[in-house]
């Protein structure tokens, strides 16, 4: 049983009359996560994840892994340190590397604290025993920390110097086969983002330092987004302004229409079709049907795990209360019982005890938070529960002990408070659990499907 009294949640205490001077612009998600004690700043651009937020992060990781495995992915782990000589071979060390961290070992050998792992994984395959065409396509992914010395680290987890990322690398026998793999992984990405129920847009993107022939980005629409996205209302084309070039303010590159809509986006995922940009210089090959070596054709696919948490909260939350994607909420239900010393304590706690057992059977002990801090008023605990954004909060208050038909308060995140009997409360919790199961099975409700398609252009 998860008990609020045992949670390590170092909330930021600000005296009532204190004048707080902001030295930087704060996003809604950054402000709430910090004030509520879910995230703490470690240093400029680095963050410490506290237990409640870690639960959401773990759920996001599990959901990503579920979708990557359904796409045929196999999980691996690669070293954080990548020898710079590999980046020299691919030519990337000659580009703009001002955002990358370099370290040396005691012998003077230089390494990158990897911002991405194309060279490392390609070199691994190049030094592996001959790979047969029968083993392809090969889809390898990992989830781990990445490092970039951001010039402007801001908005908390949305732009940090150290962040958690899922990166997948795929290997195929030909460009045509690689395009099929690209479609398979892209489908898994779209399924993952639909499951989160946060409106997103998929746009054509520039290949940039990664190189390759094809690239798409997945964005959450938000005023704090650092990318400008353009959507053509004439043909439906959507792209990052980077791919529009000098005509970004005038015409669509697809149909030359001038009917362009402009929004700001937070990039949360990116896919690339790389071709042989890395496999050729690093000598990564496979044996074809004739037993002769041919160069592997690659793709790479990234999802910003920590960035998704912050960006989703940024889109969904209010100024004062967090709103979690259903599948990422740290807990499904929070139960608040009567205050110690109140006149309804004795009879209320009997109901509270029975309800704990019944809720555990419906949603599972791991998804239930019992706010057992009886020294605090119901009002104070309820206000905190609302700010933390629990999907459902059940209150055993004075009305639970009155009359022949006792009533419980049910507070659903973002909805009006309702008074229900115990049976009705349990049914609401069961309905929430069923909705989660539907999302995992990818059976979105019609209401959700319509809502997420109304944002802009190629929105899902």
């Amino acid at each position: 049983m998860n008990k609020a009294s045992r949670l390590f949640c170092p909330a930021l205490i600000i005296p009532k009359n204190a004048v707080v001077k902001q030295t930087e612009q704060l996003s809604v998600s950054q402000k709430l996560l910090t004030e509520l004690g879910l995230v703490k700043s470690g240093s400029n651009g680095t963050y410490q994840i506290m237990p409640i937020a870690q639960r959401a992060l773990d759920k996001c990781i599990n959901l990503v892994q579920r979708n990557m495995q359904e796409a045929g992915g196999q999980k691996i782990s690669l070293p954080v340190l990548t020898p710079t000589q590999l980046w020299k071979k691919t030519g990337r060390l000659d580009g703009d590397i001002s955002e990358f961290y370099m370290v040396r070992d005691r012998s003077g050998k230089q390494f990158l604290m990897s911002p991405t792992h194309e060279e490392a994984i390609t070199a691994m395959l190049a030094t592996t025993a001959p790979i047969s065409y029968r083993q392809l396509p090969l889809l390898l992914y990992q989830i781990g920390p990445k490092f970039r010395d951001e010039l402007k680290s801001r908005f908390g987890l949305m732009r940090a110097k150290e962040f958690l990322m899922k990166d997948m690398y795929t290997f195929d026998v030909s460009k045509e086969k690689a395009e099929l793999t690209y479609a398979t992984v892209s489908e898994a990405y779209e399924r993952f983002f639909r499951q989160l129920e946060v409106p997103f847009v998929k746009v054509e993107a520039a290949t940039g330092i990664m190189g390759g022939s094809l690239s798409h980005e997945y964005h959450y629409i938000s005023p704090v987004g650092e990318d400008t996205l353009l959507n053509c209302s004439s043909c439906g084309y959507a792209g990052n302004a980077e791919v529009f070039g000098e005509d970004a303010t005038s015409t669509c590159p697809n149909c030359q229409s001038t009917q362009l809509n402009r929004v700001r986006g937070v990039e949360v995922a990116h896919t690339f079709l790389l071709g042989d940009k890395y496999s050729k210089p690093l000598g990564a090959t496979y044996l074809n049907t004739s037993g002769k070596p041919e160069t592997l054709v690659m793709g790479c696919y990234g999802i910003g795990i920590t960035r998704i948490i912050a960006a989703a909260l940024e889109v969904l939350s209010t100024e004062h209360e967090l709103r979690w994607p259903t599948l990422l909420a740290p807990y499904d239900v929070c139960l608040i019982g009567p205050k110690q010393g109140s006149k309804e304590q004795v009879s209320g706690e009997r109901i509270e005890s029975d309800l704990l057992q019944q809720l555990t059977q419906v949603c599972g002990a791991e998804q239930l938070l019992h706010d057992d801090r009886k020294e605090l008023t119901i009002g104070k605990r309820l206000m905190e529960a609302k700010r933390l954004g629990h999907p459902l909060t059940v209150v055993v208050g004075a009305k639970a002990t009155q009359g022949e038909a006792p009533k419980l308060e049910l507070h659903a995140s973002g909805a009006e408070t309702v008074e229900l009997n115990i049976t009705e409360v349990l049914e609401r919790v069961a309905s929430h659990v069923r909705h989660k199961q539907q999302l995992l099975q990818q059976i979105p409700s019609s209401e959700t499907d319509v809502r997420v398609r109304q944002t802009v252009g190629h929105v899902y």
Side-chain angles (χ1 to χ4, degrees), residues 408-441:
L408 305 175
E409 290 182 19
L410 181 69
H411 301 260
S413 181
E416 293 291 327
T417 303
V418 292
E419 294 182 353
L420 304 172
N421 62 39
I422 292 177
T423 301
E424 291 169 330
V425 166
L426 294 173
E427 176 50 39
R428 283 290 297 272
V429 174
S431 177
H432 179 79
V433 172
R434 287 194 297 270
H435 178 57
K436 288 178 61 179
Q437 293 170 343
Q438 288 177 338
L439 289 175
L440 290 173
Q441 296 164 5

Side-chain angles (χ1 to χ4, degrees), residues 70-355:
E70 286 185 10
Q74 301 178 64
K75 189 177 183 182
I76 62 171
S77 293
L78 297 171
V80 167
L81 299 178
T82 299
T84 53
Q85 63 189 33
L86 294 179
W87 281 56
K88 287 179 182 178
K89 287 184 179 181
T90 60
R92 284 213 289 182
L93 209 62
D94 300 325
D96 182 9
I97 57 172
S98 58
E99 286 189 348
F100 302 156
Y101 288 99
M102 302 280 196
V103 297
R104 294 181 185 274
D105 65 15
R106 65 186 66 194
S107 67
K109 188 174 182 179
Q110 197 171 36
F111 296 84
L112 276 163
M113 292 182 68
S114 300
T116 183
H117 277 85
E118 284 75 18
E119 283 83 357
I121 196 166
T122 308
M124 180 189 77
L125 289 187
T127 58
T128 300
I131 297 170
S132 167
Y133 70 93
R134 294 187 180 90
Q135 295 173 265
L136 304 176
L138 191 59
L139 292 78
L140 303 175
Y141 78 94
Q142 64 173 349
I143 295 176
K146 296 288 186 291
F147 303 87
R148 292 179 189 171
D149 188 10
E150 295 283 0
L151 183 62
K152 292 183 179 180
S153 55
R154 55 179 180 169
F155 302 143
L157 297 176
M158 269 192 283
R159 184 160 289 280
K161 293 185 177 182
E162 179 180 348
F163 51 94
L164 198 63
M165 182 177 173
K166 186 284 302 180
D167 45 327
M168 172 181 271
Y169 306 92
T170 63
F171 301 87
D172 279 277
V173 300
S174 66
K175 181 176 181 292
E176 293 73 24
K177 293 293 186 180
E179 288 175 348
L180 292 176
T181 299
Y182 190 90
T184 297
V185 180
S186 295
E187 181 182 350
Y189 269 42
E190 291 170 22
R191 180 173 60 245
F192 165 72
F193 282 109
R194 286 196 302 271
Q195 288 170 329
L196 293 182
E197 298 183 293
V198 181
F200 72 95
V201 58
K202 177 183 178 182
V203 301
E204 185 177 348
T207 54
I209 189 175
M210 304 295 289
S213 59
L214 182 64
S215 176
H216 289 91
E217 294 171 345
Y218 296 77
H219 286 261
Y220 285 154
I221 308 303
S222 170
V224 302
E226 297 186 336
D227 288 271
T228 299
L229 311 178
L230 298 174
N231 164 247
C232 177
S233 57
S234 179
C235 71
Y237 174 85
N240 192 311
E242 293 176 340
V243 303
F244 282 66
E246 295 179 0
D247 295 325
T249 58
S250 56
T251 60
C252 170
N254 187 52
C255 71
Q256 285 68 56
S257 168
T258 57
Q259 304 299 312
L260 297 178
N261 302 311
R262 184 184 301 259
V263 293
R264 303 294 293 177
V266 178
E267 180 191 338
V268 287
H270 208 147
T271 59
F272 298 88
L273 194 58
L274 298 173
D276 60 4
K277 174 179 171 63
Y278 300 92
S279 52
K280 192 169 185 179
L282 293 172
T285 61
Y286 72 97
L287 299 181
N288 62 19
T289 55
S290 301
K292 295 181 179 180
E294 288 191 33
T295 301
L296 287 162
V297 181
M298 290 180 62
C300 72
Y301 310 82
I303 292 178
I305 305 289
T306 42
R307 182 178 286 191
I308 279 177
I309 299 292
L313 290 173
E314 190 71 27
V315 172
L316 300 177
S317 301
T318 70
E319 286 286 336
H320 304 289
E321 297 178 7
L322 291 173
R323 297 280 189 272
W324 297 93
T326 300
L327 292 179
L328 303 190
Y331 304 96
D332 287 346
V333 183
C334 175
L335 177 63
I336 298 174
K339 184 181 185 299
Q340 185 176 356
S342 63
K343 60 182 180 181
E344 64 268 12
Q345 181 185 0
V346 175
S347 55
E349 284 185 343
R350 285 198 293 267
I351 296 174
E352 180 185 14
S353 179
D354 290 341
L355 197 53

Side-chain angles (χ1 to χ4, degrees), residues 330-404:
Y331 304 96
D332 287 346
V333 183
C334 175
L335 177 63
I336 298 174
K339 184 181 185 299
Q340 185 176 356
S342 63
K343 60 182 180 181
E344 64 268 12
Q345 181 185 0
V346 175
S347 55
E349 284 185 343
R350 285 198 293 267
I351 296 174
E352 180 185 14
S353 179
D354 290 341
L355 197 53
L356 276 172
Q357 295 181 14
Q358 292 169 304
L359 287 171
T360 298
Q361 293 176 347
V362 176
C363 68
E366 188 56 30
Q367 302 306 323
L368 175 60
L369 176 64
H370 181 207
D371 196 333
D372 59 336
R373 298 171 298 169
K374 298 298 184 73
E375 72 280 6
L376 301 178
T377 65
I378 286 179
K380 185 172 180 61
R381 285 179 283 164
L382 179 59
M383 182 176 66
E384 183 180 297
K386 285 185 173 182
R387 294 200 75 203
L388 286 170
H390 302 305
L392 297 171
T393 299
V394 182
V395 177
V396 182
K399 292 186 178 180
T401 62
Q402 296 174 357
E404 297 180 0

